[in-house]
Amino acid sequence: MTENQTWVTEFILLGFPLSPKLQVLLFGFFSLFYAFTLLGNSIILVLIWLDSRLHTPMYFFLSHLAIVDIAYASNNVPKMLANLLSKQKTISFVPCIMQTFLYMAFAHTECLILVMMSYDRYVAICHPLHYSVIMSWRVCTIQAVTSWACGSLLALVHVVLILRLPFCGPHEINHFFCEILSVLKLVCADTRLNQVVIFAASVFILVGPFSSIVMSYIHILCAILKIQSGEGRQKAFSTCSSHLCVVGLFYGTAIIMYVGPRYGNPQEQKKYLLLFHSLFNPMLNPLIYSLRNKEVKAALKRMLEKERTS
């Protein structure tokens, strides 16, 4: 009996309970948003790769953020788009578990990459004379590799804890992808250990890094206020404003989903928050950096001028 319960061949993703016409309309909109996500982050990557002026630690971490955003959106959105046009919204067991793992891995990695970006801004503004020594390419590479490794290992812990559990029918996931808490609801065993690990990991990967970012920006603000010239203050603020917007969007929704209090229908609320997280956050990040960052806009202008003259 236990063996029959444990071996599940597929799940059904319930997605959004909408009429067929509305689902087709959403497919068009979401496909457009996904295309903008891929295009915007790809442009950021190309600009950083081709323009030597952007070969700095700040843009090194920004390139990793763009890679994470492309991978994060590509893990969840294509299956959601396919299900919007399909009557059979099924996903096999192994792809579902892989989707859970990749979602957690990319989300954790983005948390840590944003911390590294805030540390880079802290060193640049609070210790400008030692910046090149503290933020050497060796240090930046170690920080990036550590972010990816920690994000993947923490996601692996969650998946291993899920795979040890038996699943029961009905195999319907009330989500548009295999989100970890929604998958756990199909388990016919005690999931308290999983719940505790998820909460502890959320505190470790969300509250801890977010507190670190807040402390960095408190020091940055104090350093900026000591700058005498208005032009110097404006330049310092402009280098941080883009990152602050991205941090606010990412950590704000993530903390509400996994750490914040529950009101009304938490399952439906989290579903729409995760839609924002999976689709709109990765699309908005390159827009924020391109619209608010003079160096990125200048690099884009140089690339376009170079294309015209060639």
Side-chain angles (χ1 to χ4, degrees), residues 173-243:
I173 298 175
N174 186 18
H175 222 295
F176 62 87
F177 78 105
C178 293
E179 191 267 337
I180 184 167
L181 293 178
S182 300
V183 172
L184 280 177
K185 289 183 179 179
L186 307 184
V187 170
C188 51
D190 188 1
T191 61
R192 279 179 294 181
L193 175 61
N194 298 74
Q195 301 283 352
V196 169
V197 171
I198 290 169
F199 181 78
S202 299
V203 173
F204 171 74
I205 208 74
L206 289 174
V207 178
F210 183 71
S211 302
S212 174
I213 291 172
V214 170
M215 290 302 297
S216 295
Y217 275 100
I218 288 173
H219 285 93
I220 288 170
L221 181 61
C222 293
I224 289 174
L225 293 175
K226 292 178 183 177
I227 298 174
Q228 299 296 325
S229 68
E231 185 181 346
R233 287 186 184 182
Q234 186 178 2
K235 185 178 179 181
F237 272 121
S238 66
T239 61
C240 301
S241 58
S242 300
H243 181 249

Side-chain angles (χ1 to χ4, degrees), residues 249 253 271-282 284:
L249 285 171
T253 52
K271 195 187 295 185
Y272 289 104
L273 279 171
L274 265 171
L275 177 63
F276 182 87
H277 228 288
S278 302
L279 189 60
F280 296 102
N281 252 14
L284 291 173

Side-chain angles (χ1 to χ4, degrees), residues 64-65 68-69 72 103-119 143 146-148 150-151 154 201-213 243 246-247 250-255 257-258 277 281 285:
H64 281 270
L65 182 65
V68 171
D69 281 339
Y72 188 71
Y103 156 69
M104 300 295 289
F106 295 139
H108 294 156
T109 302
E110 183 158 356
C111 286
L112 298 174
I113 290 291
L114 290 173
V115 174
M116 301 308 170
M117 293 175 77
S118 70
Y119 179 70
Q143 289 176 335
T146 302
S147 298
W148 283 95
C150 289
L154 193 54
S202 299
V203 173
F204 171 74
I205 208 74
L206 289 174
V207 178
F210 183 71
S211 302
S212 174
I213 291 172
H243 181 249
V246 172
V247 167
F250 182 87
Y251 278 95
T253 52
I255 289 174
M257 282 189 296
Y258 290 103
H277 228 288
N281 252 14
N285 286 353

